[in-house]
Amino acid sequence: AQTYMTLLRIYWLGRMHNSAVETFLEMSNSGYTPNTFARNIVVDVLFKLKDGDAALRFFREIPTPNFLSYNIVISNLCELNNWPEVCKTVKEMMRKGFVPDDRSLIGMLNCVGKFHKTREMFQVLGLMISLGYQLTVTTWTILIDGLCRIGKVCLAISLLKKMKSSGVHPNVVTYTTLIKGCFENDMPAEVSNLLENMEDEGLSHDLVFSNTLMDCLAKSGMYDEATTVFCSLHERNLTPDSYTYSSMLPILSSSGNLDLLSSLLNGPDAFFDKVLFNSMLNFYCRIGRPRLAVKVFNRMMTAGYTPD
RNA sequence: ACUAAGUGUAA
């Protein structure tokens, strides 16, 4: 049984989900009775194999689920955005005297915050506070993100202030969220304040931050500013990725950089992803360069993608 | 005992 358990854990940690399931079956067939730990691994693995229904069925058949069983189920359900099932599981868990851990709570916050369920978001916050959890940067950032997504940027900004006055320091993720919120809600004036704050707080821009900034600037028609950010990438030691280029496509063409774009196709397969290929296809077709679009299409095939 | 929160395409 020890050997099987070790194998199970190795496959689990190594993301070899199918092997994990096989090991579990073999273990059961060899006459061993898997303990709750082993069963928890299978639940998680079934979720990772995208079979949420099977995972739930398997979970319900665990004779003595422990608090980890519940936390595994809850955080996976959160990723699947299955909020009703999350609620049921949390209630059942608490009825048994277990309490959701911080990972489950953060998953829950994020699950409702992303989808404009503001009421539920504050209910989860209330639960967290009543369970005595300290608010962390991550928690604050999810709340701020939730508010930005429903267009309440002013509230989000006052939350930022509250966060700081409670002694928690915002990070790049917090500012990425806020800046995107400002652009999407026509509050560009706030953006420069936020950028100044970041500077004062000594936070440096990472690639996601820069990509977000470029995308927002591009969508607001501020091509020069977006180009400045693009050119500043290498002095920040950042390498543009597929996100960068799919945001910058229209700008590179209007600034006469079509050559740079087609030279991208010489890059390694790993640089590309499906969205970038689709963006380029769409882009070349729209600007009336079907031959270039065909080149992109062929490159896409050699990179092993199938058109969707 | 796995995992944390922020970015891109078409319709």
Side-chain angles (χ1 to χ4, degrees):
Chain A
Q2 278 300 338
T3 314
Y4 280 120
M5 284 309 294
T6 307
L7 261 179
L8 252 185
R9 288 188 62 181
I10 290 174
Y11 288 137
W12 184 37
L13 297 175
R15 318 277 139 107
M16 301 167 69
H17 303 311
N18 289 312
S19 309
V21 174
E22 277 167 30
T23 305
F24 179 84
L25 292 175
E26 215 178 302
M27 182 178 186
S28 314
N29 290 338
S30 313
Y32 294 106
T33 308
N35 59 15
T36 300
F37 186 1
R39 292 172 196 270
N40 287 347
I41 292 180
V42 176
V43 171
D44 194 53
V45 160
L46 287 174
F47 272 117
K48 299 288 181 300
L49 287 169
K50 312 256 176 240
D51 198 346
D53 293 335
L56 279 179
R57 261 182 276 123
F58 192 89
F59 162 67
R60 297 215 174 88
E61 281 167 17
I62 299 181
T64 50
N66 58 18
F67 73 104
L68 284 163
S69 321
Y70 285 101
N71 282 314
I72 286 173
V73 170
I74 291 169
S75 44
N76 278 295
L77 286 172
C78 288
E79 269 169 47
L80 295 173
N81 303 314
N82 189 343
W83 184 242
E85 205 61 47
V86 170
C87 290
K88 273 203 246 166
T89 313
V90 171
K91 278 179 198 151
E92 187 188 321
M93 169 181 203
M94 294 183 73
R95 234 185 290 122
K96 295 208 175 169
F98 300 126
V99 150
D101 64 6
D102 47 354
R103 152 169 153 266
S104 292
L105 288 166
I106 286 177
M108 287 162 68
L109 251 200
N110 195 36
C111 175
V112 286
K114 261 202 180 62
F115 292 92
H116 304 197
K117 299 184 188 230
T118 315
R119 241 189 104 82
E120 289 85 343
M121 187 172 82
F122 285 110
Q123 282 171 350
V124 176
L125 178 63
L127 179 64
M128 293 178 89
I129 292 172
S130 67
L131 290 174
Y133 285 107
Q134 296 284 338
L135 297 191
T136 63
V137 214
T138 304
T139 332
W140 282 105
T141 302
I142 298 174
L143 293 171
I144 288 172
D145 188 47
L147 291 173
C148 286
R149 284 181 199 272
I150 58 167
K152 303 227 181 254
V153 182
C154 294
L155 243 179
I157 290 173
S158 58
L159 224 57
L160 174 74
K161 292 183 183 136
K162 232 184 164 91
M163 157 182 192
K164 288 186 195 172
S165 65
S166 77
V168 180
H169 298 291
N171 61 20
V172 222
V173 180
T174 319
Y175 282 106
T176 307
T177 296
L178 274 166
I179 286 176
K180 187 168 175 247
C182 289
F183 272 108
E184 287 177 350
N185 294 281
D186 294 314
M187 296 175 59
E190 282 300 330
V191 174
S192 34
N193 288 336
L194 292 169
L195 288 172
E196 273 176 33
N197 286 353
M198 275 185 85
E199 197 82 20
D200 295 343
E201 291 160 19
L203 295 173
S204 49
H205 301 187
D206 67 5
L207 190 58
V208 174
F209 178 89
S210 305
N211 284 344
T212 307
L213 198 53
M214 284 181 277
D215 189 62
C216 290
L217 289 167
K219 287 187 170 130
S220 312
M222 302 168 76
Y223 285 14
D224 292 344
E225 290 81 351
T227 306
T228 308
V229 177
F230 183 77
C231 294
S232 77
L233 286 178
H234 76 266
E235 66 202 34
R236 294 183 188 277
N237 285 318
L238 299 173
T239 312
D241 66 358
S242 55
Y243 282 70
T244 317
Y245 286 106
S246 68
S247 293
M248 291 293 291
L249 277 182
I251 298 182
L252 291 176
S253 83
S254 80
S255 58
N257 275 310
L258 276 183
D259 291 343
L260 171 63
L261 262 190
S262 36
S263 72
L264 271 187
L265 293 179
N266 300 326
D269 288 359
F271 174 77
F272 296 93
D273 61 20
K274 206 158 186 168
V275 174
L276 179 57
F277 278 128
N278 282 340
S279 307
M280 292 179 79
L281 280 176
N282 183 253
F283 172 74
Y284 281 136
C285 289
R286 260 203 335 245
I287 63 166
R289 304 294 295 268
R291 274 168 196 275
L292 286 173
V294 172
K295 270 179 79 176
V296 172
F297 187 82
N298 290 332
R299 183 68 185 82
M300 179 173 176
M301 303 306 273
T302 62
Y305 286 93
T306 43
D308 61 14

